[in-house]
Amino acid sequence: MFSNYLISLREGLEASLVVCILIAYLVKTGRRDALRPIWIGIGIAVAIAMGFGCALEFGSQELTFEAQEALGGSLSILSVGLVTWMVFWMRRTARHLRSELHGRLDAALAMGTGALVATAFLAVGREGLETALFVWASVHAASDGTPRPLIGVALGLATAVLLGWLFYRGALKINLARFFTWTGGMLVVVAAGVLAYGVHDLQEANWIPGIRDLAFDISDAIPPDSWYGALLKGVLNFQPDPTIVQVTVWLLYLIPTLTLFLRPSNPTKNAPQPTRPDITTAQ
């Protein structure tokens, strides 16, 4: 539940920040007439993301077991690649996200209504599709037959919307670079678990060998149906009896990715940037 909350909070907050930056800029520059196309683009992006998530969920139910495992494993690996790219991209651009969006919006205002709709759609749609795919993969990996993963998703999105509204109202300030660094690091850990589970799916689909070669089995010490076993599975996608391939892939992804992500930024590259990337509508 926590991993799904974190995913939807992180991705939802990115989308919320994008929306509040776009809306605040139009209000500040006296271009309220452009708000309608922006909201239309946002609405289209949300609808497509929800439709994509529904297609993943209900479309996969019509497949055979092997096909479901192959699809789930492939999409899990794809979602890990996307979320890894996303956390590194946001770590690099968090400091100047607002100026980048302002530049795109100025260009769209000069081109007309269609460009405004497209700008809002592209700005929000990417986060929406990434969220739908990674949440689906994470829920698929951590599903225990209860609605807790989906509750975590709903709570994360609700929190993101609330924080976005507080940003817009100027009632909340936060160091975005630090926030995205911490949440990004936690997402890398979650992604490692999703990747390992995706590999296990591909092993069950007979795409990758070694399904019977276990690295260890501590099911007696950490029963999957215990509260702490469910907690570890929900937070870290922990499996008490992983295969050798799963553990190898988990380590090969987590150690270098987390090391690169947490490596200090080049101070000369960041020197011209503001040290406090707060976003408020007062500016």
Side-chain angles (χ1 to χ4, degrees):
M1 180 173 174
F2 174 77
S3 62
N4 296 294
Y5 174 84
L6 175 64
I7 295 165
S8 56
L9 171 62
R10 162 85 186 217
E11 292 285 316
L13 184 58
E14 283 189 34
S16 295
L17 290 175
V18 168
V19 171
C20 84
I21 290 171
L22 294 176
I23 299 301
Y25 184 66
L26 292 176
V27 172
K28 178 183 176 181
T29 56
R31 292 300 307 271
R32 291 179 178 270
D33 58 301
L35 290 177
R36 180 179 174 84
I38 292 296
W39 283 115
I40 291 175
I42 292 170
I44 294 173
V46 171
I48 290 179
M50 293 179 65
F52 179 59
C54 291
L56 288 175
E57 176 62 24
F58 296 110
S60 62
Q61 295 179 2
E62 303 299 324
L63 303 175
T64 63
F65 173 77
E66 289 78 9
Q68 286 184 2
E69 296 304 296
L71 177 64
S74 301
L75 291 180
S76 294
I77 293 173
L78 175 61
S79 69
V80 169
L82 288 175
V83 79
T84 303
W85 172 84
M86 178 270 295
V87 296
F88 277 95
W89 177 84
M90 180 54 71
R91 182 176 184 267
R92 185 177 64 252
T93 62
R95 294 179 179 274
H96 50 85
L97 177 63
R98 182 173 54 184
S99 60
E100 180 179 328
L101 288 173
H102 286 178
R104 294 181 185 178
L105 196 53
D106 284 334
L109 286 169
M111 296 175 65
T113 301
L116 287 170
V117 173
T119 298
F121 169 76
L122 293 174
V124 178
R126 186 194 66 191
E127 280 81 6
L129 292 175
E130 286 177 355
T131 302
L133 178 58
F134 196 59
V135 163
W136 181 85
S138 181
V139 169
H140 178 72
S143 179
D144 54 2
T146 71
R148 285 181 294 185
L150 294 179
I151 292 175
V153 172
L155 290 176
L157 291 176
T159 304
V161 171
L162 175 61
L163 291 176
W165 181 78
L166 292 174
F167 279 130
Y168 181 78
R169 302 300 300 177
L172 180 65
K173 293 184 178 182
I174 189 172
N175 188 309
L176 294 181
R178 182 174 300 174
F179 173 84
F180 283 120
T181 295
W182 279 99
T183 57
M186 288 187 286
L187 268 187
V188 169
V189 176
V190 172
V194 173
L195 178 62
Y197 196 89
V199 169
H200 184 266
D201 280 351
L202 293 181
Q203 288 183 301
E204 291 192 327
N206 295 319
W207 282 26
I208 297 177
I211 185 66
R212 299 185 183 279
D213 300 326
L214 301 184
F216 54 83
D217 188 351
I218 54 175
S219 300
D220 293 336
I222 307 179
D225 56 352
S226 65
W227 68 267
Y228 46 91
L231 179 64
L232 288 172
K233 183 176 179 62
V235 174
L236 301 175
N237 291 314
F238 173 79
Q239 184 178 339
D241 55 347
T243 65
I244 295 175
V245 176
Q246 280 183 275
V247 174
T248 301
V249 169
W250 186 84
L251 290 172
L252 288 177
Y253 169 82
L254 180 64
I255 295 176
T257 304
L258 199 58
T259 300
L260 288 173
F261 182 77
L262 297 178
R263 183 178 60 182
S265 302
N266 188 337
T268 59
K269 184 180 297 185
N270 291 332
Q273 302 296 337
T275 58
R276 179 85 175 174
D278 298 328
I279 294 179
T280 67
T281 57
Q283 298 179 350

